[in-house]
Each structure stands twice: as C-alpha cells, then as structure tokens.
Amino acid sequence: MVHTITPVVDGASSPKSPYWGSVALYTLGTTASAALFGLLLGTAGMLARAPWGSSGVAIVAVIASVYAARELFRLPIPLFDRRRQVPEWWRTFYSRPVAAVLYGLSLGIGFLTFLTFGSFVVVSVIALASGSPVAGVVLCGSFGLARGLAVLAGASSSARAAIENVSIRAAARLANGGALVGVALVAVAAAWP
C-alpha cells in the first residue's frame, strides 16, 4: 500500500500530482468502509435494544480501561485484528486509482488488517452500545477518515524516519493510552450520576 500512496513514487510537488489523487481516493475508501461498519454496529446495537443505560456505559468504561492498560503497561490484550497485509498484487494488477480505493476500503475496517492500538476496539464498542446507526457512522467514519489521512504523516522521508523512531512510537502509545483513560473516566462519570 505504501508503494501506491507515496510522494516519492508519485511526486507531490504540485497539486495536480497523482499522489494527491491517490491520497484522496484512499481516504475516501477508508472513510466509506469504516462508516459502513459503524452503520452496521449502530444498527446491531439498535436491534439489541441499546443503549443499555448504566450497564452499557459501564461496559464501555471497562473496555476502555482494559485497552488503556494495554497501551500504558504493554499488557497482551488482543486487538481482534486479522494481522494480515492487504494484497500487494492489487498495486500491480489494478490502476493506481483503483488500487488506492481498494486499499482504503480494506483498511477502513481496522479489524481486517493490522491494528496498532486498541482505540478502534473501543470506538466499535461505543458505536454498538450507542444503539444509533448515525452515531456509529460518525464514530467509525471519523476513525476511517483519520486512518486515511495518516498517510500524509509519512509524506516526506524524514517524517517516515521519525514515525519509525522508537521514542515516537512510545509517545503515540502514551497518548493513545491517555485518550482511552479519558474515555473510561467520562464513561464512569456518566454511569454514576
């Protein structure tokens, strides 16, 4: 996928560069598939009569706490991801725009490939527990949008080197763990009026 959407391959010096079109199509794919997944989660929650009051909020608090502990203390909590790459042959078989969309569609639903952090697990649980298809679309679609735009972080070779830096990864893990602690605290506060 990186070979499909890199400024080194496509060049990013002008706004008409193929790089920007690939980023746009990839981001459209990640956002659309994540939003569709959120729609399904919200609908499943609605069919299961969510929201479930204090119990549903408590479930969110517990799961957010578990994944915060995973990030902050490096506990071996599973992410339920498939742990597989998207097919590399798409890049050579399909045109650049089609490959970018396909990669986006498959990566938007985080569980179909690799997940680094537990955030999407928590977002998915919140979408389900909301019992709202609209909330599911907004929550998961936002994750897909962020995941799609994340390719811009590696737009330069110095940025890619920084991302691979261990201290940057540790900082990202701490930030993610802190955000999940925040979700857990908000959920706890909402569960006990």
Side-chain angles (χ1 to χ4, degrees), residues 1-13 17-20 22 91 96 154-157 160:
M1 195 269 318
V2 171
H3 302 292
T4 305
I5 307 172
T6 66
V8 174
V9 173
D10 295 334
S13 57
S17 160
Y19 170 72
W20 298 109
S22 295
R91 181 174 56 88
R96 184 183 328 237
S156 70
S157 58
R160 281 192 300 281

Side-chain angles (χ1 to χ4, degrees), residues 2-89:
V2 171
H3 302 292
T4 305
I5 307 172
T6 66
V8 174
V9 173
D10 295 334
S13 57
S14 82
K16 293 184 180 181
S17 160
Y19 170 72
W20 298 109
S22 295
V23 168
L25 290 170
Y26 170 74
T27 303
L28 178 67
T30 59
T31 306
S33 64
L36 177 61
F37 184 63
L39 176 72
L40 295 174
L41 287 172
T43 302
M46 182 179 68
L47 294 173
R49 303 198 189 282
W52 304 295
S54 295
S55 298
V57 178
I59 290 168
V60 169
V62 167
I63 292 174
S65 297
V66 166
Y67 282 98
R70 178 190 186 275
E71 307 308 338
L72 298 173
F73 305 113
R74 297 185 165 265
L75 298 178
I77 309 295
L79 292 173
F80 309 107
D81 57 347
R82 199 166 148 236
R83 310 230 20 100
R84 294 190 186 228
Q85 297 282 29
V86 293
E88 187 175 346
W89 64 267

